[in-house]
Amino acid sequence: MNTGSNEPAEAVDPVAGVKGVKPEQPLGSRAPEFIQARRALHLSWQVGVFVVGLAVVVAGIIMLPLPGPGWLVIFGGMAIWATEFVWAQLVLRWTKRKVTEAAQRALDPKVRRRNIILTTVGLVIIAVLVGVYVWKFGITMPWKIKE
């Protein structure tokens, strides 16, 4: 801000946050009002959300060693839990912050240059190892292997 300027300082709404930045949603249940109004219905709603989220998280954990998008499914289960539970909302906010920080670090020119160099060196090492293997053992197609 220019101190010699006659322009008023731009006000920032504490609820909306910084201009151009999407404010975070308030913590708490996102169940419909008619469900939140009835304690027994809300409790059964929370149990249902927990069971569905648990099933998705378990499926993601199973996918970690098996083919499939394990981490993506786990975060999907956390998002299901976050519709109802504050602890899951806090975990997702923390995760989103960390992923954003990592993405910003990865866009740094020095880090990008280092990553490109490391990838190139790794590919050269793999190419040399494959070349040595082919030179020593040759290439035999799987359907021509004699038992």
Side-chain angles (χ1 to χ4, degrees):
M1 183 173 127
N2 188 355
T3 56
S5 172
N6 292 334
E7 297 174 12
E10 189 174 311
V12 176
D13 183 7
V15 176
V18 179
K19 188 175 185 178
V21 176
K22 184 179 172 186
E24 291 183 341
Q25 292 184 339
L27 297 174
S29 175
R30 291 183 178 80
E33 287 296 325
F34 73 92
I35 291 177
Q36 290 184 16
R38 293 161 183 83
R39 181 154 171 74
L41 188 57
H42 192 228
L43 185 60
S44 62
W45 176 271
Q46 286 180 326
V47 168
V49 167
F50 183 79
V51 168
V52 170
L54 183 65
V56 173
V57 168
V58 168
I61 291 171
I62 290 171
M63 285 184 205
L64 287 176
L66 300 175
W71 284 110
L72 185 65
V73 174
I74 289 172
F75 289 126
M78 289 296 296
I80 291 171
W81 279 339
T83 63
E84 200 56 39
F85 303 108
V86 173
W87 60 268
Q89 293 167 3
L90 294 173
V91 168
L92 282 180
R93 283 185 184 178
W94 179 83
T95 304
K96 186 176 181 181
R97 234 183 355 262
K98 292 299 179 185
V99 167
T100 303
E101 290 171 6
Q104 291 301 321
R105 280 194 310 267
L107 292 176
D108 180 26
K110 291 179 182 177
V111 174
R112 288 185 69 198
R113 192 174 314 118
R114 183 200 66 200
N115 289 345
I116 289 172
I117 291 170
L118 288 175
T119 302
T120 304
V121 168
L123 289 174
V124 167
I125 290 171
I126 290 171
V128 167
L129 292 174
V130 167
V132 168
Y133 179 85
V134 169
W135 174 71
K136 187 166 183 157
F137 299 107
I139 297 177
T140 304
M141 295 298 159
W143 51 86
K144 292 188 177 181
I145 295 177
K146 295 178 182 168
E147 300 203 26

